Amino acid sequence: MDKFGRPMEDLRISVIDRCNFRCTYCMPREIFGKDFVFLPREALLSFEEIERLAQIFVALGIRKIRLTGGEPLLRKDLPVLIEKLAKINGLEDIGLTTNGTLLAVKADALKEAGLKRINVSLDALDEQLFKQINDSGVGPERILKGIEKARETGLQVKVNMVVKKGMNEQEILPMATYFKDLGITLRFIEFMDVGQTNGWDYSKVITKKEIYHKLSEHFELEPVPSAYLGEVAKRYRYKGTNTEVGFITSVSESFCSSCTRIRIAADGKLYTCLFAEKGYDLRELLRSEKTNEDIKNAIVRIWNQRSDRYSDERTMETAKHKKKIEMSYIGG
Ligand code: SAM
């Protein structure tokens, strides 16, 4: 338990800090341009190091691991890592968050390796708008093909859409309709003040309440109770169907009090909050003479000291001036 009695239950591992998209609200090209220095290969945790950490975390009670990035499918041979993780006794669930660009070619290998679930990020169906957002010339068709392929292989798919005022609010209804018809859960994510480079401002946030209001003009929604402590999405069902829609309300209804997440960045730094300033260097421990027991004790000490509740305490001042790490580095 941490200082507020929150158990550690859910581990996210970033496997790479690079991405093939330059979404304007996440990795704007002005900052993540040609000269940006990403982590060198040897700075990334190896698959063996990630596997070792995963074993230690499972011994500490972690049952779910999600791989993310950057864009995790850019990490060479990712299915090899998934296969290693899938063999860990006691680990019940492995998920992956991806922009979907490489999904059509990689879905089979991922499923075969033992992946169960993927979350695909997609912020618009309109071709021009989607290209404008990802600033990389990729149209939505390619992502939709990836989703279709992933479903064919038997992977469970959810879609995540970040909604930002002035960027894509006109896509709320088309996206809801499209994924409702496919029977795929769509989750609307409030635009957050992660990192320092995305120009966040409260006036650019479209809240769950506003999105819900828009949806309920067209669909009848009924609430679905959360399945477990720490479930982040507020869930609803389209009445008369089994299809759900969800909201991640990190700004308007923060959920720090039930946050059970811990994160490892691509270089092995451990973070106890998405909005953290400081991480703990697990890579150094892994590459030293320390035993698994030593590393386990270090993690327990860090978790016991945890008192983060950034979203509960957010003000314009912290949003603008707190030196937070970037989403592409810590892993979304
Ligand atoms: N590349 C992968 C992807 O696109 O899903 C994984 C990493 S990405 C950082 C994870 C998620 O974070 C994406 O859905 C992205 O839209 C979301 N994200 C990035 N910046 C955000 C922000 N400021 N507020 C809310 N969500 C954000």
Side-chain angles (χ1 to χ4, degrees):
M1 296 283 178
D2 70 5
K3 289 238 183 256
F4 295 124
R6 297 169 295 188
M8 177 174 70
E9 291 196 330
D10 181 355
L11 172 63
R12 303 196 150 218
I13 304 175
S14 170
V15 293
I16 192 162
D17 59 336
R18 289 162 205 262
C19 188
N20 51 348
F21 273 2
R22 286 293 175 272
C23 296
T24 47
Y25 61 85
C26 185
M27 295 182 79
R29 211 171 268 287
E30 312 83 83
I31 288 152
F32 295 89
K34 277 206 294 294
D35 298 334
F36 186 84
V37 184
F38 289 97
L39 292 168
R41 206 176 185 295
E42 63 280 6
L44 300 179
L45 291 185
S46 68
F47 288 171
E48 288 69 28
E49 288 169 332
I50 294 176
E51 180 188 19
R52 187 174 163 204
L53 280 180
Q55 282 162 341
I56 294 171
F57 274 99
V58 170
L60 281 168
I62 290 283
R63 295 287 166 265
K64 284 195 292 187
I65 291 182
R66 174 165 294 276
L67 301 177
T68 180
E71 173 45 44
L73 296 187
L74 290 183
R75 178 81 189 244
K76 197 164 167 272
D77 298 327
L78 191 71
V80 173
L81 173 65
I82 292 171
E83 218 173 292
K84 287 181 187 296
L85 297 179
K87 287 194 188 126
I88 299 178
N89 256 336
L91 183 61
E92 289 161 10
D93 192 15
I94 306 172
L96 173 89
T97 301
T98 172
N99 63 24
T101 45
L102 299 170
L103 206 46
V105 279
K106 301 209 170 181
D108 276 326
L110 293 167
K111 177 72 173 64
E112 227 166 90
L115 189 69
K116 302 240 166 63
R117 304 186 295 118
I118 54 167
N119 289 350
V120 180
S121 306
L122 180 67
D123 297 332
L125 288 171
D126 178 85
E127 165 121 16
Q128 279 320 310
L129 180 60
F130 185 58
K131 285 184 172 169
Q132 206 176 309
I133 295 172
N134 68 53
D135 196 14
S136 307
V138 177
E141 206 49 41
R142 178 155 159 197
I143 315 304
L144 297 175
K145 283 214 178 84
I147 291 174
E148 195 184 325
K149 178 71 209 220
R151 290 182 100 200
E152 276 167 25
T153 65
L155 283 165
Q156 199 192 314
V157 179
K158 285 185 189 146
V159 173
N160 288 335
M161 170 185 181
V162 173
V163 187
K164 181 182 163 194
K165 199 167 280 176
M167 180 174 89
N168 62 343
E169 60 264 55
Q170 68 278 31
E171 292 288 298
I172 293 171
L173 277 180
M175 287 278 291
T177 308
Y178 185 88
F179 289 105
K180 173 178 177 279
D181 291 349
L182 281 179
I184 292 179
T185 301
L186 171 65
R187 293 173 330 165
F188 295 100
I189 305 181
E190 291 177 350
F191 176 46
M192 298 182 279
D193 55 321
V194 260
Q196 294 284 291
T197 59
N198 71 5
W200 187 89
D201 196 299
Y202 190 77
S203 66
K204 294 179 189 146
V205 178
I206 303 201
T207 61
K208 173 211 163 187
K209 203 168 154 198
E210 294 169 84
I211 303 171
Y212 180 88
H213 183 72
K214 204 181 262 280
L215 292 182
S216 49
E217 286 172 0
H218 291 81
F219 309 105
E220 219 178 318
L221 299 174
E222 55 189 14
V224 178
S226 54
Y228 53 90
L229 171 83
E231 188 171 50
V232 163
K234 312 265 183 325
R235 295 160 59 197
Y236 294 82
R237 190 181 295 118
Y238 296 104
K239 209 164 181 181
T241 74
N242 276 328
T243 306
E244 290 189 17
V245 64
F247 301 88
I248 316 280
T249 59
S250 157
V251 180
S252 70
E253 292 173 34
S254 57
F255 35 82
C256 301
S257 62
S258 60
C259 178
T260 55
R261 283 193 179 165
I262 188 156
R263 298 166 184 269
I264 303 173
D267 60 357
K269 293 249 170 50
L270 185 73
Y271 291 93
T272 54
C273 178
L274 181 57
F275 301 92
E277 286 171 274
K278 179 175 162 286
Y280 305 86
D281 195 351
L282 292 183
R283 190 185 64 199
E284 195 189 318
L285 300 183
L286 288 166
R287 294 182 187 176
S288 71
E289 297 301 306
K290 301 277 187 225
T291 64
N292 283 5
E293 197 57 27
D294 296 333
I295 298 177
K296 192 166 122 186
N297 291 336
I299 295 167
V300 170
R301 274 197 301 277
I302 292 163
W303 188 265
N304 287 160
Q305 289 303 314
R306 177 189 192 233
S307 60
D308 313 270
R309 46 193 291 267
Y310 176 80
S311 288
D312 282 352
E313 297 172 328
R314 173 187 290 110
T315 61
M316 279 310 279
E317 185 58 25
T318 60
K320 283 216 159 37
H321 302 300
K322 187 174 184 264
K323 233 180 138 359
K324 293 159 284 171
I325 43 195
E326 295 299 324
M327 183 83 135
S328 51
Y329 159 73
I330 192 175

